[in-house]
Amino acid sequence: MKVEEIMETRIISVARTSSIEEIAEKLTYNKLSGIPVLSDGGYLIGIVTEGDLIRLETTPRLPEFINLLGAVIYYKGVDTYNEDFRKILARTAEEIMTEDVIVVKEDAEVSDVVRLMLNNNIKQVPVMDGNKLIGMVYRSDIIKILLKK
């Protein structure tokens, strides 16, 4: 089965300047786990997920370090700490979004999308036709396949 057979073509998105409140409202009202962020020209530039938003209510995950003769040496988690800290201070979509978005084409196999979702712990995948966002595949779209069997 191909992605084009199950993808959601009614795309709900936000602009880069959308506020955190607007994003939360759209996610809640539309019962979504993530929402694409589009540039002024309509191009996909990122995605904001529930996971991004709940980081606003926590403290950054501290990097792991060792203390060697009075010197603190960070060896793991510095990037995660910096990313968490950046998102805690965010006030707009552009400041909180994840920029490195995993995408698929409409002719991709659904089984490949499932693998992507599981391997990357993601709940939605944008569907692209070149530079154009043409749909979204959510976990719920895949679960609906079970109803058709």
Side-chain angles (χ1 to χ4, degrees):
M1 181 176 280
K2 301 287 185 184
V3 165
E4 63 192 348
E5 299 174 58
I6 66 163
M7 71 182 186
E8 179 63 52
T9 56
R10 186 180 67 94
I11 301 168
I12 298 165
S13 64
V14 294
R16 68 174 65 226
T17 57
S18 295
S19 69
I20 299 299
E21 293 78 19
E22 181 183 345
I23 297 165
E25 184 178 294
K26 281 191 174 188
L27 287 174
T28 303
Y29 179 78
N30 295 290
K31 298 179 179 155
L32 298 172
S33 57
I35 192 163
V37 181
L38 303 182
S39 70
D40 298 336
Y43 297 103
L44 179 69
I45 58 171
I47 195 161
V48 179
T49 67
E50 295 168 321
D52 294 325
L53 293 180
I54 63 174
R55 286 197 182 133
L56 293 169
E57 297 300 322
T58 189
T59 56
R61 294 168 282 184
L62 295 175
E64 296 178 26
F65 65 91
I66 57 172
N67 188 333
L68 185 63
L69 301 173
V72 175
I73 301 170
Y74 294 99
Y75 64 91
K76 184 177 174 187
V78 175
D79 290 339
T80 301
Y81 175 79
N82 290 337
E83 183 71 6
D84 285 355
F85 198 76
R86 179 182 70 84
K87 290 189 180 202
I88 286 171
L89 298 175
R91 295 294 167 249
T92 65
E94 187 172 39
E95 295 169 343
I96 199 168
M97 71 184 183
T98 300
E99 294 179 45
D100 189 18
V101 181
I102 295 169
V103 300
V104 295
K105 294 182 179 181
E106 62 186 323
D107 62 351
E109 293 290 334
V110 171
S111 59
D112 293 335
V113 175
V114 170
R115 228 177 330 279
L116 278 173
M117 288 177 159
L118 293 174
N119 292 341
N120 295 284
N121 195 29
I122 54 178
K123 297 179 182 177
Q124 62 281 312
V125 179
V127 182
M128 305 295 289
D129 182 6
N131 290 331
K132 184 178 179 193
L133 177 64
I134 59 170
M136 294 288 292
V137 175
Y138 300 95
R139 285 184 177 182
S140 59
D141 297 320
I142 294 169
I143 292 170
K144 287 176 191 172
I145 295 171
L146 299 174
L147 297 174
K148 296 177 184 177
K149 288 186 177 183

